[in-house]
Amino acid sequence: MQIQLKVNGEPRSLDVDPRTTLLDALRNHLDLTGSKKGCDHGQCGACTIILNGRRINSCLSLAVMHEGDEITTVEGIGQPGALSPLQDAFVRHDGYQCGFCTPGQICSATAMLDEVKAGWPSNVSEDLEGTQSLTNDEISERMSGNLCRCAAYANIVDAIAEVGGKE
């Protein structure tokens, strides 16, 4: 099937088998290998991308379901030499460890900070309406879908808090 996507700001055309996951389409058809295939069951978050402004596990979605959608992968957030503030904070706080989960963590955290800015509550938010505070509990809850096998969570939370506090 022929599909059109907008990936990292660029229109892209793909010819994919209807059974192709969005993750495999990005990695195997567009050579965007930043998003990782971890558990392949949506449990680890290594495949997290931003789809139309919301974070999703790309291993759980078929590419053909996203005709015309706008996708941001970690490659669209920043590049070596031009890191996003969040990527820079991950480096400075040593929040990347082995780096396998880092692209998913960066995509998830990028969208999560937008969710906080928009006032979306989480399961630990004390106030369901209005401004959300970016506490360590909020960050941990909102990032709970992204697992780090190296256990760099404290450093990841510090990096996100620094960037979230600056916004």
Side-chain angles (χ1 to χ4, degrees):
M1 282 184 81
Q2 192 74 26
I3 61 170
Q4 308 294 318
L5 303 171
K6 188 172 185 181
V7 182
N8 298 330
E10 300 289 325
R12 304 296 296 261
S13 180
L14 297 134
D15 186 18
V16 296
D17 182 298
R19 300 168 292 180
T20 304
T21 67
L22 184 55
L23 174 63
D24 287 338
L26 293 168
R27 289 182 58 82
N28 302 334
H29 294 262
L30 299 178
D31 294 323
L32 295 169
T33 57
S35 303
K36 301 294 188 267
K37 185 178 278 195
C39 65
D40 217 16
H41 297 283
Q43 297 172 337
C44 73
C47 67
T48 304
I49 62 164
I50 302 171
L51 178 84
N52 297 328
R54 300 187 71 172
R55 51 193 165 149
I56 70 161
N57 293 328
S58 60
C59 73
L60 296 180
S61 190
L62 297 174
V64 295
M65 298 166 56
H66 299 289
E67 172 69 27
D69 283 349
E70 189 167 328
I71 294 167
T72 302
T73 67
V74 72
E75 292 92 344
I77 293 174
Q79 293 287 320
L83 298 178
S84 74
L86 196 55
Q87 290 169 316
D88 184 57
F90 266 62
V91 171
R92 283 184 289 98
H93 288 275
D94 198 20
Y96 55 88
Q97 301 289 315
C98 82
F100 189 82
C101 73
T102 305
Q105 299 270 5
I106 295 288
C107 284
S108 190
T110 298
M112 181 272 286
L113 290 173
D114 289 341
E115 292 167 9
V116 170
K117 248 193 271 184
W120 295 4
S122 76
N123 287 338
V124 298
S125 298
E126 290 187 23
D127 184 5
L128 297 181
E129 297 180 18
T131 305
Q132 302 301 321
S133 299
L134 195 59
T135 64
N136 284 354
D137 286 344
E138 276 288 343
I139 293 170
S140 295
E141 170 61 19
R142 291 173 186 268
M143 294 297 293
S144 63
N146 292 81
L147 302 180
C148 171
R149 294 179 179 134
C150 302
Y153 295 116
N155 301 346
I156 292 169
V157 170
D158 288 347
I160 294 170
E162 178 188 298
V163 174
K166 288 182 177 176
E167 294 182 12

